[in-house]
Amino acid sequence: MVSLKESLGKITIVDFWASWCGPCRAEMPNIVAIYKDFHSKGLNIIGVSLDKDQEKWRDAIAKNNLSWTQVSNLKFWEEPIAIQYGVQEIPTMFILDASGKVITKGLTGDALRLKIKELLSK
C-alpha cells in the first residue's frame, strides 16, 4: 500500500503507463531525466501501471531504471486509481501540487520538463 498523501513532494507527477504501451516506453527516458534533474528540488513521481502481468511490469521498471515509487493492482484498464483519475489513454501524466491538487495533465516531452521547471522555480 502506498499513500498518495505521504508520497507528495513540492510537485508530484502521477504517471499512468504500462509495459506494453509503446508511447509510454518511448517517454520513459524523458521522465527518468526529469526525475534526475528535479528530484532534489522537490519533484516526486508516482508511476501507476495498467499492466496485468507482474513479471513484464517489473521487468519494464528495471530496464527503464524507474527509481521512484511504482504501483499496480495488475488490473489493466480496471486499475482503480486510473478509474478514479478518469484515465482514458496512456501515457497520461497528472501534475499535482504539494497538497495533491491537480495543476495540469497530459504533458509529455519538453512541455512536461518546462512545466516542472516553472513550478519548482516558484
Side-chain angles (χ1 to χ4, degrees):
M1 294 289 292
V2 173
S3 164
L4 176 61
K5 186 175 181 179
E6 292 175 8
S7 299
L8 291 171
K10 288 181 186 175
I11 298 296
T12 300
I13 297 172
V14 180
D15 175 23
F16 291 90
W17 70 286
S19 66
W20 46 264
C21 170
C24 299
R25 299 291 292 270
E27 182 66 15
M28 285 301 173
N30 181 52
I31 299 169
V32 169
I34 288 171
Y35 186 75
K36 180 181 175 187
D37 292 346
F38 296 107
H39 179 66
S40 65
K41 296 177 173 120
L43 175 68
N44 198 16
I45 301 177
I46 301 170
V48 180
S49 171
L50 275 63
D51 274 281
K52 54 185 172 180
D53 182 309
Q54 185 173 25
E55 187 175 327
K56 289 180 182 175
W57 171 52
R58 289 183 182 216
D59 186 49
I61 292 168
K63 283 184 178 176
N64 289 284
N65 298 312
L66 308 182
S67 59
W68 51 88
T69 301
Q70 296 288 331
V71 298
S72 182
N73 289 297
L74 302 172
K75 292 187 175 186
F76 199 48
W77 287 102
E78 297 302 314
E79 171 58 53
I81 304 165
I83 292 169
Q84 178 182 348
Y85 275 78
V87 173
Q88 300 290 314
E89 63 184 7
I90 54 175
T92 294
M93 286 173 241
F94 289 79
I95 301 175
L96 311 180
D97 67 12
S99 70
K101 179 182 172 192
V102 175
I103 297 170
T104 190
K105 72 173 189 171
L107 300 178
T108 59
D110 290 339
L112 179 64
R113 172 177 283 280
L114 289 172
K115 189 64 172 179
I116 295 300
K117 185 176 181 179
E118 171 196 327
L119 291 168
L120 288 173
S121 68
K122 290 181 178 180

